[in-house]
Amino acid sequence: EICQDVKYGNRCQVITRSISDLRSIGWDNRISSLRRTSQGGFGRGSSGVPGVGNRESVTLYKDTNFRGESASFRDAVPDLVPFDLNDEISSIQIPPGQTWEVCQDIKFGNRCQVLSRSISDLGSIGWNDRISSLRRVQ
């Protein structure tokens, strides 16, 4: 798992294969912490391969059925633009017991929806490629 901030903070992504050029996945000069994760956990890597992940993070996927490029977040994200994920999320994996609010505009603006379960196809609830910000609901 690679993370943008120290102590595994901000955006994190599970890597399940060798990557010779981090620019190809949008991580060039962005990694501040990393750690080995165990197999059999929650989530999927950027290749869509089941396996490693973190039970505390919400994971966003660019494709339906928890596939394609993904990124995990533990904290509120008021703007997905810097992560190249704005209006590109097609599925979301939410850890058991957690609830997240997703919003159409940055800074939690416009229409928002509270989600308390993973959704393999956000199009089924009218949210495909519409998420611009999200935050955990306590």
Side-chain angles (χ1 to χ4, degrees), residues 17-82:
R17 59 186 167 81
S18 296
I19 300 171
S20 61
D21 186 352
L22 290 170
R23 290 177 295 189
S24 68
I25 62 166
W27 277 89
D28 186 42
N29 295 319
R30 286 189 174 186
I31 301 171
S32 295
S33 58
L34 64 114
R35 61 182 165 189
R36 181 186 304 261
T37 56
S38 61
Q39 289 291 339
F42 168 83
R44 295 171 184 250
S46 62
S47 64
V49 177
V52 294
N54 185 298
R55 294 184 186 278
E56 296 302 315
S57 303
V58 63
T59 304
L60 308 175
Y61 297 88
K62 283 194 173 185
D63 298 329
T64 59
N65 298 314
F66 315 113
R67 299 175 84 63
E69 186 179 332
S70 66
S72 297
F73 300 93
R74 290 180 184 81
D75 302 314
V77 183
D79 187 356
L80 286 169
V81 171

Side-chain angles (χ1 to χ4, degrees), residues 12-13 21-22 72 79 94 120 125 130-131:
C12 294
Q13 183 169 340
D21 186 352
L22 290 170
S72 297
D79 187 356
I94 297 174
S120 63
I125 62 167
R130 291 184 176 209
I131 298 173

Side-chain angles (χ1 to χ4, degrees), residues 103-127:
C103 299
Q104 280 186 334
D105 289 345
I106 63 170
K107 298 181 182 175
F108 318 107
N110 203 344
R111 181 175 164 224
C112 295
Q113 174 78 39
V114 174
L115 305 174
S116 57
R117 63 178 175 84
S118 297
I119 300 178
S120 63
D121 182 359
L122 286 166
S124 68
I125 62 167
W127 277 86

Side-chain angles (χ1 to χ4, degrees), residues 4 11 26 30 77-86 106 132:
Q4 187 170 349
R11 178 184 181 201
R30 286 189 174 186
V77 183
D79 187 356
L80 286 169
V81 171
F83 304 106
D84 298 323
L85 294 170
N86 187 55
I106 63 170
S132 295

